[in-house]
Amino acid sequence: MASLVEFSERRFTHTTKLPTTQDLYNIQDIIAERQEKVKMSYGTASGSRGRENEIRSQVDEVRVVMKQNIEKVAQRGEKLEDLGERAEILSNDAGNFQRSAVRLKRKLWWQNVKLWIILIIIILVILAVIGAIIGIAVGVQNNKSN
């Protein structure tokens, strides 16, 4: 019986794969088979009630361990579902962040382009004004010399 307990503990505490419902039914079948073998090997008519009680307590111990393991599997399944939901939310948020970042980058790029265009226009206007002033000054000086 100790080997069944060890098997159960190993199976449900050190695995990364969740057991299926079929696995749980298989374990229940294993327990039932072991119970039958124990009953057959010791028999109830042989008068060994002490041994029968000992075996019964071992079977009860296995049942308790199995119930605990099933509860742990159910809790782990719930935690995995929660983790999956959180991962999906995080993935969606990351996608939204990336789209927002791209939009912001484009907006800032256009703002920068507009700023450069305005700056170039201002410089051209200043150069035109300076050119006009120089042209007028040269024209006035040419008129004075004539």
Side-chain angles (χ1 to χ4, degrees), residues 7-63:
F7 164 76
S8 300
E9 287 177 349
R10 264 186 282 129
R11 176 72 173 112
F12 291 106
T13 58
H14 300 295
T15 182
T16 56
K17 178 185 162 209
L18 287 174
T20 63
T21 307
Q22 188 60 40
D23 292 335
L24 298 176
Y25 287 128
N26 289 343
I27 291 174
Q28 288 177 346
D29 292 341
I30 291 171
I31 292 172
E33 288 174 16
R34 297 278 174 129
Q35 286 176 336
E36 288 299 319
K37 285 181 183 178
V38 168
K39 285 180 182 177
M40 296 297 265
S41 65
Y42 291 103
T44 55
S46 66
S48 59
R49 291 280 180 202
R51 181 71 178 146
E52 184 179 333
N53 289 337
E54 181 183 332
I55 292 170
R56 236 174 243 197
S57 69
Q58 288 178 352
V59 169
D60 290 338
E61 181 183 328
V62 169
R63 283 185 183 161

Side-chain angles (χ1 to χ4, degrees), residues 73-103:
V73 167
Q75 289 172 352
R76 192 167 85 186
E78 291 171 3
K79 289 179 183 178
L80 286 175
E81 288 175 7
D82 290 344
L83 184 62
E85 290 172 4
R86 288 180 188 168
E88 186 176 335
I89 290 169
L90 186 60
S91 176
N92 291 337
D93 288 347
N96 291 338
F97 176 78
Q98 184 177 12
R99 284 187 292 278
S100 297
V102 168
R103 271 188 261 130

